[in-house]
Amino acid sequence: MPYGGHVQMSSTPLASSSTLHADLEDHLPARTSRPPFTPLASSDTLIHHDEPQQNKVSDPEKYHDVEALKTSNRNRADPTATLEVPYTPPDGGFKAWSTVLGASLVAFTTFGFSNGYGAFSDFYNAEYLTHFSPTLISMIGALQVFMLYIFAGVSGAVFDAIGPRYLIPSSGIIVVLSLLLLSFTQPQKIYQQFLCQSVLFSIGATFGFFPAVALMSHWFKMKMPYAVGCLVSGASLGGIIFPIMLNNLIPRIGFGWTIRVIALISLLCYLVAILTIYPRRPTKPLPKFTKLLDFAGFKDPCYLFLALGSWFAVFSIWNPFFYVGLSAKMANPGSPLNEYYLAILCATSIVGRVSPGLIAFRVGRFNLMWMSTFLSAALIFALWYTSFAEANLVTFVVLYGIAAGPFFTLIPPCVASISPIDKVGARLGSIYAFMASACLAGTPIGGMFIRTQTEANFKHLILFSGLMAFVGAALLFASRMLRDRRMFAIV
């Protein structure tokens, strides 16, 4: 075609086009012409916002077949290219949603059990570990979350090397064994709780929960925030069911048999997860230890302020989960609602954890992150600090669960959106490892305020929690502004 000439459009394809796309057109239905794609303002909120739009296929699980044709054609045009089997996320299909179900059950058993530690704390303080201070008792739950976070990066690399087929069953064996051992612990022997509940359980849970989260990126792209929201909702469901079980079964069958019932439920959940989780990508060699984490990411100011804001936020975000029930028992002894505040809090947090997948594309994940953290801090001051009346506490746990929920869901998408694609896993592991120290220190320091459980001391705890959350929100806002300085941009 001569340069500068006019092109005469016709139905006959160009010769070069047939070379590249003939086989693809044989497999795809004809499509009508449409205007060029113009990215929406919210396209920056996707996990991989710099990737081109993909063709739609009626069966999502066969999406990679179309990509295989494209790759084959590219290799035919360039004989020196090596054939690469693609594993583009299908964004749906039976195997994808089956994997979400199995991963949610793993989250229910692992992080859901950790979410319910507030009920354990109340029982340990009241009956089982009365010889020890609330600060030391809170360390059991704090160490549990600390180990979950500190091993997050390592678990991702092990998952890539082993895959879910062997890692998920191994996680289940360790988790169930730790619960069985916990059921045989003795009163006033706190070291037994630390070994079984904090250390052994957390090791098993880490290599189940975080690989389950990683699987979502194998099966989903556009719908990944929604899939992750479903998974973390499983953790919230555990925070509802396990405290209710403890409060109702311990008076009837005792602590030991109650934990054995939980162990049986965990075993059943893992069995279903093993049957419903499907691997999608092949395994790869275990990387060097120095490459498991990527602390060079802290040189990026946006990533640095995101990590700092998350550190301050997680320093305080667990305190209501651990102490709201205890504050209710102090202020309203004998109230039938005292046993259910944690369950209500975890129930409403399901809304907060799922909603980012539905609205992040319109609002922006960084916007939602800092605003939800700011709202959480405001609720701590406006409702929990002002009164311990039952109506006030119920209103607080309902609204706080919704406001705090997005924080847990949005960390992986926020990190992914500002990281090179080949360093997402390492940077996500780095930020969780960085946050682990806040998980370890936050609730025990909070417990130091209530060595004597009075209303004044609880208000000191609440004041401390609210201030830390406000600092976290301010740093997250700084990260958002570094991402895009336009005030009303969707980022």
Side-chain angles (χ1 to χ4, degrees):
M1 181 182 68
Y3 288 97
H6 296 282
V7 178
Q8 180 66 33
M9 300 301 294
S10 68
S11 59
T12 304
L14 298 175
S16 60
S17 176
S18 61
T19 303
L20 298 176
H21 301 293
D23 291 338
L24 180 59
E25 290 173 352
D26 291 339
H27 291 80
L28 290 176
R31 296 183 297 173
T32 58
S33 61
R34 59 182 180 182
F37 172 76
T38 302
L40 298 175
S42 60
S43 64
D44 196 48
T45 65
L46 305 180
I47 292 296
H48 306 305
H49 56 273
D50 55 343
E51 292 186 13
Q53 295 293 312
Q54 306 289 345
N55 295 331
K56 295 183 179 180
V57 182
S58 58
D59 186 354
E61 289 183 18
K62 294 180 180 178
Y63 186 87
H64 64 281
D65 296 335
V66 177
E67 293 299 310
L69 289 171
K70 293 181 179 179
T71 305
S72 177
N73 287 326
R74 285 195 297 268
N75 282 290
R76 228 181 295 173
D78 182 7
T80 63
T82 57
L83 182 62
E84 177 184 345
V85 180
Y87 296 96
T88 305
D91 235 9
F94 172 78
K95 289 184 178 180
W97 292 113
S98 175
T99 300
V100 171
L101 171 63
S104 299
L105 290 173
V106 172
F108 170 83
T109 304
T110 55
F111 227 95
F113 186 82
S114 299
N115 280 345
Y117 180 74
F120 280 95
S121 179
D122 294 347
F123 173 71
Y124 290 157
N125 276 291
E127 298 182 35
Y128 214 64
L129 300 174
T130 54
H131 295 174
F132 304 94
S133 68
T135 299
L136 189 58
I137 290 173
S138 69
M139 281 290 295
I140 299 171
L143 182 60
Q144 193 175 53
V145 179
F146 169 81
M147 293 193 66
L148 281 168
Y149 278 31
I150 199 69
F151 287 118
V154 178
S155 67
V158 174
F159 166 72
D160 288 338
I162 299 177
R165 193 176 302 278
Y166 300 105
L167 197 57
I168 297 297
S170 301
S171 167
I173 292 171
I174 297 173
V175 166
V176 173
L177 176 62
S178 68
L179 292 174
L180 290 175
L181 292 176
L182 180 63
S183 71
F184 292 103
T185 57
Q186 301 298 314
Q188 314 307 334
K189 304 285 186 180
I190 195 170
Y191 72 91
Q192 297 177 354
Q193 268 73 26
F194 273 106
L195 290 175
C196 298
Q197 193 166 357
S198 297
V199 178
L200 186 59
F201 175 86
S202 297
I203 291 173
T206 298
F207 291 97
F209 176 76
F210 287 105
V213 175
L215 274 170
M216 299 301 98
S217 65
H218 291 195
W219 288 101
F220 296 93
K221 181 180 175 183
M222 298 285 289
K223 297 179 181 177
M224 184 183 170
Y226 181 72
V228 173
C230 291
L231 184 148
V232 296
S233 295
S236 294
L237 189 61
I240 299 169
I241 293 177
F242 290 132
I244 293 176
M245 288 181 62
L246 288 170
N247 292 325
N248 287 276
L249 292 183
I250 288 178
R252 299 179 184 179
I253 60 177
F255 177 75
W257 278 106
T258 299
I259 301 302
R260 290 174 202 129
V261 171
I262 294 176
L264 177 60
I265 293 173
S266 300
L267 176 61
L268 294 175
C269 287
Y270 265 100
L271 289 175
V272 175
I274 291 169
L275 295 174
T276 56
I277 288 178
Y278 289 91
R280 179 162 176 79
R281 297 179 180 178
T283 58
K284 56 185 180 181
L286 190 68
K288 295 180 180 179
F289 181 76
T290 55
K291 294 184 178 180
L292 292 178
L293 303 176
D294 181 29
F295 290 108
F298 289 95
K299 296 179 182 178
D300 177 2
C302 182
Y303 179 85
L304 174 62
F305 277 90
L306 176 64
L308 289 172
S310 299
W311 191 91
F312 277 93
V314 84
F315 203 98
S316 63
I317 204 168
W318 287 103
N319 283 338
F321 286 86
F322 278 44
Y323 296 124
V324 69
L326 206 58
S327 68
K329 289 181 178 180
M330 176 276 304
N332 309 298
S335 171
L337 285 175
N338 290 346
E339 313 295 339
Y340 296 98
Y341 286 111
L342 179 59
I344 297 170
L345 177 56
C346 290
T348 57
S349 72
I350 293 178
V351 178
R353 297 185 188 200
V354 173
S355 59
L358 303 176
I359 64 176
F361 298 116
R362 297 183 179 276
V363 178
R365 63 190 63 181
F366 276 85
N367 290 332
L368 197 56
M369 185 84 156
W370 82 263
M371 287 190 293
S372 64
T373 306
F374 180 86
L375 181 58
S376 300
L379 289 171
I380 289 174
F381 281 113
L383 294 176
W384 196 18
Y385 184 80
T386 54
S387 173
F388 295 108
E390 288 184 347
N392 224 54
L393 289 177
V394 170
T395 305
F396 169 70
V397 295
V398 169
L399 296 179
Y400 184 82
I402 297 172
F407 176 81
F408 298 99
T409 302
L410 290 171
I411 292 176
C414 284
V415 172
S417 68
I418 60 174
S419 303
I421 188 65
D422 59 329
K423 295 184 178 180
V424 170
R427 289 197 177 181
L428 189 58
S430 299
I431 198 171
Y432 276 124
F434 181 73
M435 291 164 56
S437 59
C439 296
L440 183 63
T443 52
I445 291 177
M448 294 177 65
F449 289 102
I450 54 171
R451 290 176 179 175
T452 304
Q453 296 181 18
T454 64
E455 184 171 332
N457 287 341
F458 268 102
K459 287 196 171 185
H460 295 156
L461 161 66
I462 298 166
L463 182 64
F464 163 76
S465 302
L467 288 174
M468 294 295 283
F470 270 132
V471 173
L475 291 169
L476 290 172
F477 177 72
S479 176
R480 176 255 176 270
M481 293 303 294
L482 288 168
R483 185 79 172 94
D484 193 318
R485 296 186 183 277
R486 295 174 298 167
M487 181 62 69
F488 299 103
I490 299 175
V491 292

